[in-house]
Amino acid sequence: MNPAALERTQTTLRIAPLSATTGAECTGVDLAQLKEGEWERLVEAYHQSSLLVVRDQKLAKDAQIAFSERFGELELPIRKDYVGKDFAALHVVSNIGADGKPNNTKGLENPGNFFWHTDASYMKRPASTTLLYAIEIPASGGDTNFANMHAAYDALPAAMQQRIASLRAVHSWEQSRHNSGSRPASEEEKLQAPPVAHPLVRTHPETGRKGLYLGNHTSHIEGMDVDEGRALLQQLLAHATQPQFVYRHKWQPGDIVIWDNRSLLHKASDDFDMNNCARVLHRTVVQGTVPQ
Ligand code: OGA
Ligand code: MN
């Protein structure tokens, strides 16, 4: 084979762990043009570490959508104001206002992102995978934090594991908006995402690992006094988001982070200068299965 042809087929993909429990860093790969064997290695690393950071990507919106579709069918956002932009399946996480300038979106746009959550858990079939691609990143702050729910579950005392084994938590878009102090849910949104119960301990459909399944979209525990259920959810969340379970991602433009919502909680850090610094990311979400 001539050298140019070899270069087209020979992989330069390198994969290295990012922390003890979570994440693998992938370099030397172009997600818009995968070479033979690369997809299989990426998927294996994704299942092992629940999160991939792929560096130095140059992905047009349609290329991000095409790559994301390898994981499964993409989800369309509930929020109608996100739909019908140029690509319905790709939404832009951004603090740029209508005037083209950065502004403090914390109180306006999507404050829920600043609370620990797993994407779309208020749906019957919540998100399996989210892909977030960094276009513009503040010079400092604005990291995204990921907490590993398998490690957190494994570290629970056996008595607590037994106590919660068959509990179901009710997740609700309406309650989630309330929990994060967001604009209240509209009637249309409530109809589209009525409350739904999922196992508090879910088994990952691909790896078989058990993990806690909770976060800001939860309301209460099915069949339990509401306050008692909320206290239990808070206690478990405090346990599950301790530093030893957390990987904090410091973004570089060109990073695409691919995470497993069945294994991780995540939240954005609000420690950047939102009024002056742009933070823009392109987001695609893959629809998962009914949690078991
Ligand atoms: C998301 C999300 C966090 C961030 O896109 O689902 O929660 O750091 N984003 O922007
Ligand atoms: Mn999210």
Side-chain angles (χ1 to χ4, degrees):
M1 208 182 286
N2 69 44
L6 249 183
E7 202 187 315
R8 278 200 297 276
T9 54
Q10 262 186 355
T11 182
T12 51
L13 169 62
R14 285 184 310 279
I15 304 181
L18 280 165
S19 78
T21 60
T22 310
E25 183 184 43
C26 309
T27 51
V29 65
D30 176 1
L31 298 185
Q33 258 184 316
L34 287 183
K35 294 175 181 166
E36 205 179 312
E38 289 181 335
W39 169 249
E40 290 74 13
R41 285 174 61 205
L42 290 170
V43 169
E44 192 190 353
Y46 170 73
H47 285 318
Q48 261 171 25
S49 59
S50 308
L51 176 146
L52 303 179
V53 174
V54 188
R55 303 283 190 191
D56 304 316
Q57 297 305 294
K58 287 195 182 61
L59 289 175
K61 288 182 178 174
D62 56 349
Q64 180 173 342
I65 290 173
F67 176 74
S68 304
E69 281 174 337
R70 287 174 172 262
F71 288 91
E73 195 184 329
L74 301 190
E75 191 176 87
L76 300 180
I78 297 248
R79 291 179 50 156
K80 292 295 170 241
D81 45 344
Y82 285 156
V83 180
K85 303 270 169 79
D86 45 358
F87 292 98
L90 186 146
H91 109 238
V92 181
V93 176
S94 162
N95 67 328
I96 307 289
D99 59 359
K101 297 197 182 117
N103 61 44
N104 184 338
T105 55
K106 205 178 166 200
L108 308 166
E109 167 84 1
N110 220 352
N113 279 0
F114 299 101
F115 294 78
W116 288 109
H117 65 284
T118 170
D119 285 338
S121 65
Y122 43 75
M123 298 298 283
K124 259 203 193 111
R125 287 179 52 197
S128 55
T129 311
T130 302
L131 301 94
L132 202 55
Y133 173 46
I135 307 294
E136 253 191 288
I137 291 299
S140 85
D143 300 348
T144 307
N145 308 274
F146 297 90
N148 191 304
M149 294 301 104
H150 300 307
Y153 174 79
D154 291 346
L156 282 174
M160 179 58 98
Q161 289 181 342
Q162 262 164 29
R163 178 177 170 208
I164 64 176
S166 54
L167 297 182
R168 292 170 71 79
V170 176
H171 299 238
S172 145
W173 169 264
E174 183 181 6
Q175 183 64 36
S176 171
R177 306 288 304 173
H178 180 78
N179 292 345
S180 60
S182 308
R183 141 184 90 64
S186 71
E187 291 309 312
E188 192 187 3
E189 289 168 352
K190 283 191 236 173
L191 278 176
Q192 207 187 325
V196 60
H198 296 306
L200 181 54
V201 180
R202 82 176 277 193
T203 303
H204 193 288
E206 252 117 2
T207 65
R209 287 190 75 184
K210 284 186 178 175
L212 292 171
Y213 195 63
L214 70 182
N216 190 59
H217 304 318
T218 53
S219 169
H220 57 280
I221 303 282
E222 205 173 58
M224 192 184 282
D225 171 77
V226 169
D227 289 340
E228 197 187 326
R230 286 191 177 151
L232 176 60
L233 287 168
Q234 261 174 27
Q235 182 190 346
L236 290 169
L237 187 69
H239 161 80
T241 54
Q242 294 177 86
Q244 66 268 35
F245 307 127
V246 174
Y247 163 69
R248 183 177 181 114
H249 183 64
K250 193 165 175 39
W251 292 93
Q252 297 170 14
D255 285 352
I256 182 162
V257 176
I258 303 166
W259 72 82
D260 194 329
N261 286 292
R262 301 161 297 189
S263 304
L264 307 177
L265 296 182
H266 62 281
K267 72 166 178 174
S269 304
D270 60 0
D271 58 351
F272 69 103
D273 181 0
M274 292 182 204
N275 288 312
N276 294 296
C277 296
R279 185 177 188 273
V280 180
L281 305 105
H282 287 178
R283 177 180 191 265
T284 41
V285 180
V286 183
Q287 196 172 68
T289 51
V290 174
Q292 306 283 338

